[in-house]
Amino acid sequence: MLSFLRKVIAVLCFVSVAHGQGVNGSGVEEVLVSALRIPIDQQVFTGSHSSLNSEEIALLGATHIQEALARIPGVNLHHNSGQEYLPAIRSPVLTGAGACGSFLMAEEGIPLRPAGFCNVNELFESHSDVADRIDVIRGPSEVLYGSNALHGVVNVITPEPGSFANSASVEMSSEDYYRTQLQAGNEQWAVFFTGIEDQGFRDDYSVDQQKLTLKYQGRTDEYRITAGMTVINLNQETAGYITGANSYRDKSVTESNPNPEAYRDAQAVRLWTRIENEDPGNHWVVTPYVRYSDMAFLQHFLPGTPLEENGQHSVGWQSAYFIAAKKSRFVIGFDGEYVDGWLKQSQDQPTGGSAFLQATIPVGDHYDYTVKAVQLAPFIHWNYQLTEDLSLSLSARYEWMQYDYDNRMLDGRTRDDGTPCGFGGCRYSRPADGKDTFNNFSPKLGLNYRISDNQRFFFSLASGFRAPQAVELYRLQRDQQLTDIDSEKLNSIELGYQSDSGRLKYEIVAYAMKKRNLIYRNSDFFTIDSGRSRHLGLELSLAYDFSDQLTVSLAATQARHTYDHHDPDSGIEKGDNIDSAPHHFGNMAVNWTPTDALSFEIEWQHVGSYYTDPENKHRYPGHDLLNLRGQYQLSPNVELSARLINATDRRYADRADYTAFSGERYFPGAPRTAFFAISYQW
């Protein structure tokens, strides 16, 4: 690790000296409001932050948020079927029941789901289609978020009332994708609507989704009030994995659907109000919110394809109080929430396959439980200007979280009527009622050195955590009757350099992270927390304006994610690569704007090869994609746009995986697809 860091520091110093000779201009001041919940100047923020603005988002026209986040270094989401995905931010693509707890997904700074009740696909509950910004913090986040912000934060921000033109648009594709959008409002009110119908390229597959967002903004003599509501409905007929080595290269197989019975139905509602005192001498912000979600989906990836139904009602608040002095700035806050969640799993058809599977996975109810949870978290952030060019920041957050679990079925691993299963017992095990409490503390230290008005170094030491998810504690299997797991912990060291000389802007960041108490399911199907992992990475983001008409942008990542523990029964050897973790991936785009009314973009997306199993015996070779986009302002009111995705019609896999039961399996990538849209503004 030290050798790696020495090489990175040498590269940073070389780039700094070589580029610094030609630096001029005053630089651009950025204020990070949406990502951090508090206004912090980019020049004093000690961490890795990236953002996509409204112009980039509109040009991308992403049909899935993965397409947008691919423009950010360190982010490598795997798109599954429909609106589903698996997340990765400075990490391998994480799978498993509670893996989603390593990432905090938010809209307007408010987590989409409660801390212990994440869903691996929860970004489909955000209204990213109309986003004004999408902000990403990579690595353990500022203390303003806490649990789940272990590897990073994705925050979707919709436009403020009065900041956009009223418009309506219609879009269609060569693969039966249709999207309608509406945004309208005035200085106080805004409404955004998105409707999606997608028949896709695979058999027995469809997505029918609606998103509605309302926002209000008002002021009094002393307060600024912003309120919002987002409503999401999803009805999806899911296409499952295709199996067989390299089957994604066979067109007839990629268009098939081995699981035509699979589906996902989901609804979510969020309401929030941000009340802010605008007096700079007595500044505070309070944001109360309520959330509701309900989901049912057929688990086509499990034997017997059981049905899972889950949901939650939650209420909470975020708060912050600001104290400013000559050289210091304090932010003191206290967050909290209460959750009433539930989960049920059942199966209405006999399990196929071996005699063992048929005997141990019965028809009937498998789980039926509720969990009430309380989370309380005070935090403090302090920034001190040591010299004119050097600033120090210290942060800390303490978090107390308690689950109150109620099993509404018989305890143990029997059938729902109490009769035993063959082969020693049923697969699914239900623990007895109980309470679990977790206490976590996360500190952060940062240094920020301004070389000039447009160059800076930053350094940070941070610790992040995530409490176990409810499904990891109470959705047990086989002989396990009780979990004894603790919160995952992640320690991170990060060094970065930023430069903005007008035409050339870039950031290069090196990081090293070590995780302990890694929660996973071992070969005995026990949920344990004895795992460890190491993460090393180098990230580059760059934009260069060759002229006023021609711009090149690049987001590149080189990383290695390895196991730091030994579990031969599960196929894990210390030092092995973690599966679903390519060593390199990136994105490059060339944008040409010959006139004010016309723009074109060519985009190259690269995903390197990666292992698909913990034993490092099976590998996906990676892929490269070429995308073309264009926009034309036909008149002051009418805009036309077109996209050609996967222009070379490459056969590839959005997701590659290997299991002992199915062998090689894939979610195939879409073939060459043309999109056309027309938008009218008034």
Side-chain angles (χ1 to χ4, degrees):
M1 183 179 74
L2 292 176
S3 175
F4 173 81
L5 289 175
R6 281 197 294 268
K7 293 177 182 178
V8 169
I9 292 170
V11 171
L12 292 173
C13 292
F14 173 79
V15 173
S16 172
V17 172
H19 179 61
Q21 302 299 321
V23 169
N24 54 53
S26 59
V28 179
E29 181 183 42
E30 292 186 55
V31 178
L32 308 180
V33 179
S34 56
L36 301 177
R37 288 175 45 196
I38 59 175
I40 294 182
D41 188 334
Q42 175 74 71
Q43 294 297 317
V44 300
F45 172 58
T46 53
S48 298
H49 164 269
S50 299
S51 182
L52 297 173
N53 60 35
S54 57
E55 290 78 13
E56 293 173 287
I57 295 168
L59 177 62
L60 284 167
T63 59
H64 190 282
I65 195 169
Q66 179 271 337
E67 299 171 41
L69 295 180
R71 306 289 279 255
I72 294 176
V75 181
N76 180 35
L77 272 63
H78 279 193
H79 184 190
N80 294 352
S81 177
Q83 292 300 303
E84 300 171 351
Y85 66 92
L86 291 170
I89 304 174
R90 281 194 181 172
S91 70
V93 172
L94 297 183
T95 61
C100 51
S102 295
F103 314 95
L104 192 142
M105 307 303 186
E107 187 173 86
E108 316 295 354
I110 300 166
L112 297 173
R113 291 290 188 99
F117 300 82
C118 71
N119 182 271
V120 73
N121 306 291
E122 62 196 51
L123 274 172
F124 70 63
E125 295 179 2
S126 71
H127 205 160
S128 57
D129 309 71
V130 299
D132 183 61
R133 289 168 61 108
I134 301 176
D135 286 349
V136 178
I137 301 174
R138 310 189 300 278
S141 83
E142 290 289 304
V143 295
L144 301 164
Y145 287 110
S147 189
N148 287 39
L150 188 68
H151 280 278
V153 176
V154 176
N155 189 23
V156 175
I157 305 98
T158 56
E160 295 296 318
S163 67
F164 59 90
N166 296 337
S167 67
S169 65
V170 178
E171 181 179 15
M172 63 188 67
S173 85
S174 57
E175 293 290 344
D176 295 323
Y177 176 91
Y178 303 92
R179 177 166 56 184
T180 57
Q181 290 186 277
L182 169 71
Q183 58 181 36
N186 54 33
E187 295 298 321
Q188 283 191 310
W189 290 93
V191 58
F192 307 96
F193 173 78
T194 300
I196 298 169
E197 292 185 20
D198 180 16
Q199 299 298 319
F201 67 98
R202 301 185 64 187
D203 298 337
D204 302 302
Y205 159 88
S206 67
V207 171
D208 184 15
Q209 186 174 30
Q210 299 81 39
K211 305 180 181 182
L212 175 68
T213 297
L214 303 175
K215 293 186 81 170
Y216 166 81
Q217 182 173 277
R219 278 185 166 88
T220 68
D221 292 339
E222 298 182 4
Y223 305 108
R224 177 186 179 187
I225 300 174
T226 308
M229 178 180 73
T230 298
V231 181
I232 305 293
N233 177 67
L234 172 67
N235 301 108
Q236 175 176 301
E237 300 299 319
T238 305
Y241 283 103
I242 58 172
T243 58
N246 301 320
S247 56
Y248 63 89
R249 296 176 179 171
D250 187 328
K251 181 179 179 180
S252 62
V253 177
T254 62
E255 293 178 349
S256 68
N257 179 7
N259 301 101
E261 76 284 359
Y263 70 92
R264 182 183 297 269
D265 292 336
Q267 296 80 40
V269 180
R270 294 184 304 279
L271 297 96
W272 56 273
T273 300
R274 181 174 293 114
I275 306 168
E276 183 173 0
N277 183 344
E278 296 196 297
D279 181 355
N282 180 30
H283 187 51
W284 52 262
V285 180
V286 177
T287 308
Y289 58 85
V290 296
R291 293 174 299 212
Y292 161 78
S293 62
D294 185 278
M295 182 185 300
F297 69 100
L298 201 66
Q299 299 174 91
H300 59 88
F301 43 86
L302 294 180
T305 59
L307 173 68
E308 178 183 325
E309 301 168 271
N310 66 69
Q312 58 81 27
H313 300 81
S314 55
V315 58
W317 75 88
Q318 298 173 333
S319 66
Y321 182 74
F322 305 84
I323 303 171
K326 185 176 181 180
K327 291 187 176 182
S328 295
R329 184 180 187 190
F330 289 91
V331 183
I332 302 172
F334 184 59
D335 299 343
E337 67 180 22
Y338 171 79
V339 187
D340 186 355
W342 57 273
L343 181 144
K344 183 176 181 179
Q345 178 177 305
S346 60
Q347 185 173 316
D348 60 4
Q349 296 292 330
T351 304
S354 67
F356 175 79
L357 291 176
Q358 293 178 41
T360 58
I361 304 177
V363 170
D365 291 343
H366 299 158
Y367 301 105
D368 187 358
Y369 65 77
T370 65
V371 179
K372 294 179 171 59
V374 177
Q375 181 190 50
L376 299 173
F379 66 85
I380 184 170
H381 173 90
W382 175 51
N383 187 271
Y384 182 73
Q385 201 70 35
L386 295 168
T387 70
E388 184 178 353
D389 297 318
L390 180 64
S391 64
L392 166 72
S393 64
L394 293 172
S395 308
R397 182 185 181 98
Y398 169 77
E399 192 166 287
W400 177 85
M401 189 166 187
Q402 185 176 81
Y403 296 114
D404 186 355
Y405 160 76
D406 178 22
N407 177 30
R408 299 193 291 193
M409 292 181 62
L410 295 170
D411 298 343
R413 54 184 301 202
T414 66
R415 292 184 172 90
D416 56 8
D417 62 2
T419 58
C421 291
F423 292 88
C426 300
R427 176 170 183 165
Y428 301 112
S429 176
R430 299 174 292 273
D433 297 352
K435 291 186 178 182
D436 291 280
T437 302
F438 300 92
N439 296 276
N440 291 291
F441 177 75
S442 62
K444 180 177 180 180
L445 178 148
L447 289 170
N448 202 307
Y449 179 66
R450 187 180 63 178
I451 304 169
S452 66
D453 287 344
N454 46 32
Q455 295 180 88
R456 74 173 183 118
F457 276 109
F458 66 85
F459 169 82
S460 72
L461 291 171
S463 178
F465 64 89
R466 77 163 180 92
Q469 300 295 296
V471 291
E472 294 173 313
L473 293 167
Y474 311 121
R475 201 176 185 179
L476 306 183
Q477 293 193 23
R478 299 195 180 181
D479 284 332
Q480 191 170 23
Q481 301 295 315
L482 182 69
T483 54
D484 184 21
I485 57 177
D486 202 354
S487 300
E488 287 190 355
K489 303 290 177 64
L490 181 71
N491 294 324
S492 169
I493 181 172
E494 183 176 12
L495 177 66
Y497 171 77
Q498 290 180 339
S499 179
D500 176 3
S501 64
R503 286 194 180 276
L504 176 63
K505 301 178 184 179
Y506 65 91
E507 176 186 74
I508 184 167
V509 180
Y511 67 85
M513 305 190 301
K514 187 173 182 179
K515 186 190 290 188
R516 66 184 190 276
N517 298 342
L518 175 63
I519 301 170
Y520 70 102
R521 184 164 283 160
N522 66 9
S523 58
D524 294 323
F525 285 72
F526 278 35
T527 301
I528 60 176
D529 65 353
S530 60
R532 291 176 177 267
S533 61
R534 291 179 180 269
H535 312 267
L536 293 171
L538 186 66
E539 298 166 349
L540 171 67
S541 57
L542 179 149
Y544 183 71
D545 297 330
F546 283 95
S547 67
D548 293 340
Q549 290 79 38
L550 187 64
T551 300
V552 175
S553 61
L554 173 69
T557 302
Q558 179 77 29
R560 191 174 184 206
H561 308 283
T562 57
Y563 293 108
D564 198 31
H565 71 285
H566 180 65
D567 183 357
D569 292 335
S570 300
I572 296 173
E573 296 288 344
K574 185 175 181 178
D576 279 356
N577 292 281
I578 301 177
D579 51 293
S580 298
H583 287 180
H584 46 83
F585 55 90
N587 179 291
M588 185 172 71
V590 179
N591 189 278
W592 180 43
T593 308
T595 71
D596 291 341
L598 184 63
S599 65
F600 298 99
E601 180 185 82
I602 181 170
E603 177 190 44
W604 167 54
Q605 291 185 1
H606 169 73
V607 175
S609 65
Y610 57 86
Y611 291 108
T612 57
D613 62 328
E615 297 88 352
N616 289 185
K617 294 181 179 179
H618 300 85
R619 180 192 289 269
Y620 173 68
H623 60 260
D624 295 275
L625 301 178
L626 189 68
N627 303 319
L628 307 175
R629 299 181 178 92
Q631 291 180 325
Y632 178 58
Q633 195 72 39
L634 184 63
S635 72
N637 302 104
V638 178
E639 181 182 80
L640 305 178
S641 62
R643 308 191 306 278
L644 189 63
I645 305 302
N646 189 10
T648 60
D649 203 22
R650 176 72 183 270
R651 298 294 172 187
Y652 72 102
D654 276 321
R655 164 73 181 164
D657 193 15
Y658 177 87
T659 72
F661 295 104
S662 65
E664 306 276 7
R665 61 180 189 174
Y666 311 93
F667 279 112
R672 178 169 50 227
T673 308
F675 292 83
F676 304 93
I678 181 170
S679 175
Y680 179 77
Q681 297 182 357
W682 69 92

